[in-house]
């Protein structure tokens, strides 16, 4: 199932950023880097447990996750979370492997940085996470729109076939009837076509 995601277009200082980091010193590095870059709405959380509820309450625009020594159980827990959060996510880890990097990308992490936690790099990585998230969001929307358009065409073709068979209309006449009915009822032609298909199914 495709989820509808909304691109981030706010100016940098207006972004609400949630930093998840169990290490207070590392969290302060990220927070300082963000504030020096002009981000004023920064919340730091040092407890991973219950983070889903915190995200729901804080409604951050961007999430930064920092894990000094990641283990697979903790990473899987976070990946389960990030799969359901339609927001840009930047993740810092001190060490990783190919499997974890692939899992992070599949889970929707927009920027995955290994051994790169430096104050001056935080803004650039955050910008990259937002950019990648927006690009992926655009691809998802285009895919959803293309899929929807294809389904609508299929329904219209089925409705045309039904009208041609039941009313003895030509293809052009059937299409014209669907279009005129849609205009009269101020509805999408695919909705009218769906009504025809549904009605025909009830009569068979």
């Amino acid at each position: 199932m495709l989820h509808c995601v909304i691109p981030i277009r706010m100016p940098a200082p207006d972004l609400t950023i949630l930093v998840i980091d169990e290490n207070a010193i590392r969290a302060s590095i990220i927070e300082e880097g963000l504030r020096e870059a002009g981000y004023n709405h920064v919340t730091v959380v040092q407890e991973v447990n219950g983070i889903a509820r915190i995200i729901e309450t804080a409604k951050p625009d961007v999430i930064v996750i920092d894990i000094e020594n990641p283990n697979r159980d903790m990473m899987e827990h976070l990946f389960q979370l990030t799969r359901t959060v339609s927001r840009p996510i930047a993740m810092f880890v001190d060490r990783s492997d190919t499997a974890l990097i692939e899992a992070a990308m599949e889970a929707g992490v927009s920027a995955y940085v290994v051994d790169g936690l430096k104050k001056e790099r935080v803004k650039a990585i955050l910008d990259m996470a937002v950019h990648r998230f927006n690009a992926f969001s655009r691809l998802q929307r285009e895919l959803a729109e293309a899929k929807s358009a294809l389904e609508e065409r299929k329904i219209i073709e089925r409705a045309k076939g039904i009208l041609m068979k039941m009313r003895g209309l030509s293809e052009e006449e059937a299409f014209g009837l669907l279009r005129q009915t849609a205009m009269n009822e101020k509805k999408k032609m695919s909705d009218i076509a769906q009504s025809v298909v549904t009605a025909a199914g009830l009569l068979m």
Side-chain angles (χ1 to χ4, degrees), residues 5-101:
V5 285
I6 302 173
I8 301 297
R9 296 192 181 91
M10 301 179 197
D14 289 335
L15 287 177
T16 299
I17 302 170
L18 177 65
V19 177
I20 303 170
D21 195 333
E22 293 184 319
N23 185 307
I25 295 175
R26 291 168 64 92
S28 67
I29 293 172
I30 295 175
E31 183 177 12
E32 188 175 346
L34 290 171
R35 294 196 184 281
E36 286 184 4
Y39 297 99
N40 299 313
H41 307 293
V42 180
T43 301
V44 177
V45 176
Q46 291 178 296
E47 178 58 54
V48 174
N49 294 326
I51 196 64
R53 186 174 62 256
I54 294 171
I55 291 173
E56 185 177 346
T57 302
K59 293 182 172 54
D61 298 306
V62 186
I63 298 172
V64 179
I65 301 173
D66 176 54
I67 302 176
E68 186 175 9
N69 294 304
N71 62 61
R72 291 193 175 274
D73 288 342
M74 178 185 289
M75 294 297 276
E76 183 55 36
H77 171 70
L78 288 170
F79 291 157
Q80 288 176 2
L81 173 69
T82 57
R83 286 187 188 97
T84 64
V85 177
S86 296
R87 292 173 178 84
I89 297 168
M91 182 174 286
F92 293 88
V93 297
D94 266 11
R95 55 185 173 77
S96 189
D97 56 40
T98 302
L100 280 178
I101 293 171

Side-chain angles (χ1 to χ4, degrees), residues 2 26 29 32 58 71 73 78 110 119-121 124 130 132 136 139 147 149 151-152 155 186 190 204:
L2 289 172
R26 291 168 64 92
I29 293 172
E32 188 175 346
N71 62 61
D73 288 342
L78 288 170
S110 306
K119 181 179 67 173
E120 58 273 15
R121 294 188 65 200
V130 172
R132 285 183 175 174
F136 183 66
L139 288 175
K147 184 176 179 181
E151 291 301 320
E152 288 181 359
I155 289 293
K186 294 182 173 57
S190 58
M204 288 179 173

Side-chain angles (χ1 to χ4, degrees), residues 130-144:
V130 172
H131 176 75
R132 285 183 175 174
F133 175 83
N134 286 342
F136 183 66
S137 299
R138 185 172 60 253
L139 288 175
Q140 280 190 309
R141 286 197 309 276
E142 290 172 356
L143 178 61

